[in-house]
Amino acid sequence: MKRILCALLSALLLLTLTACGGKRSAEDPSVQPPVEQPDTPDPPAPSEAEQSLADLRETIRAAGAVLGCAYLGATYGVLYTSVSNAGFIGAMTVLFTPFFEFVVYRKRPDRKLGFALAVCMAGMALLTLNEALRPAPGDIICLLVPTFYAADLMVTEKAVAKPEVDPIALGVLQTAVAGVVMLGLSLLLETPSLPGSPKVWAAALFLGVFCSGICFVIQSVEQQFTTASHASLIFTLEPVFSAVFAY
């Protein structure tokens, strides 16, 4: 917990120093007046293909970054709270997504979706909460999961609506970006080590390839045909399948 807080505070301090260091008073004698440059012709505007490629790169970086933050919340949050609390808070994506859509796009959920959200949250509470939901430091970290995963659903929905975006490539590349983000955080916050047994290797590969890679590719493809709010509603079935397979 201390390492996470130190890393976040260091990043905020660096951003503050950078912002403050880049500004100087207009009365500062060390500030030199701008030198007039001769007029030069404006650079040519980027073509439509170049602009689309630039937009795609920005979308991939954004989707991968928010996905990495969601993984960060899930990985570290469960260390400081109960599994039941972490599961319930993580499933709150179903509430965060329509809320963010309303805030950003002014898109109000219809009555059917609102009723389905209420039923899903009640079912999630009955399924995952086997003790009182007591506030803990890990609960705050786990809030990163629904916050950033809802953002990922919204970014993906906007991206796949564009005909020039390949949803399969988007799913693969955003997962790769999230992997790079998590690798960097692991090098910063802990001492990484490779799995020490074939069983752990098999579990890691299964989680990485099937539960993460293929899952997010399917999500990107299918979000061409549904909304982010409906996708978050479908993801509430995750603990249901977990209970079925665990049984």
Side-chain angles (χ1 to χ4, degrees):
M1 175 66 73
K2 291 182 179 180
R3 288 181 295 178
I4 300 174
L5 293 176
C6 289
L8 293 176
L9 290 175
S10 299
L12 290 175
L13 179 60
L14 180 60
L15 290 174
T16 303
L17 293 175
T18 303
C20 294
K23 298 180 180 178
R24 291 189 176 184
S25 173
E27 300 177 356
D28 189 348
S30 63
V31 178
Q32 299 296 327
V35 179
E36 295 186 0
Q37 299 291 338
D39 293 338
T40 57
D42 295 333
S47 64
E48 184 177 349
E50 292 174 340
Q51 185 62 44
S52 299
L53 182 59
D55 293 342
L56 178 59
R57 289 174 177 172
E58 183 178 352
T59 300
I60 292 171
R61 286 195 296 266
V66 296
L67 191 58
C69 291
Y71 276 127
L72 176 66
T75 302
Y76 283 97
V78 75
L79 297 177
Y80 305 103
T81 188
S82 65
V83 176
S84 58
N85 283 18
F88 179 74
I89 295 172
M92 292 179 69
T93 304
V94 72
L95 290 182
F96 280 50
T97 304
F99 174 73
F100 288 162
E101 285 188 326
F102 176 74
V103 172
V104 177
Y105 305 129
R106 297 299 178 186
K107 182 179 178 181
R108 188 184 302 273
D110 56 31
R111 292 183 178 181
K112 291 182 180 180
L113 179 60
F115 177 75
L117 295 177
V119 172
C120 285
M121 288 305 299
M124 288 296 306
L126 294 174
L127 184 63
T128 61
L129 295 182
N130 53 17
E131 60 185 26
L133 184 59
R134 301 184 182 91
D139 296 336
I140 305 300
I141 301 176
C142 285
L143 284 174
L144 294 175
V145 178
T147 300
F148 286 101
Y149 196 52
D152 178 73
L153 290 173
M154 294 171 61
V155 170
T156 302
E157 179 186 8
K158 288 296 182 182
V160 298
K162 302 175 182 178
E164 66 271 13
V165 174
D166 183 353
I168 297 179
L170 176 63
V172 172
L173 293 176
Q174 75 163 339
T175 307
V177 172
V180 172
V181 171
M182 293 304 295
L183 177 60
L185 290 174
S186 67
L187 294 173
L188 177 65
L189 302 175
E190 58 190 19
T191 304
S193 60
L194 295 175
S197 67
K199 289 184 178 181
V200 179
W201 268 110
L205 290 174
F206 179 79
L207 291 173
V209 174
F210 292 95
C211 300
S212 294
I214 295 179
C215 173
F216 287 111
V217 169
I218 294 175
Q219 172 196 320
S220 299
V221 172
E222 295 306 316
Q223 274 198 256
Q224 297 176 101
F225 314 107
T226 188
T227 64
S229 294
H230 288 175
S232 68
L233 194 64
I234 295 171
F235 274 110
T236 58
L237 292 173
E238 179 181 354
V240 177
F241 283 103
S242 298
V244 170
F245 283 106
Y247 182 81

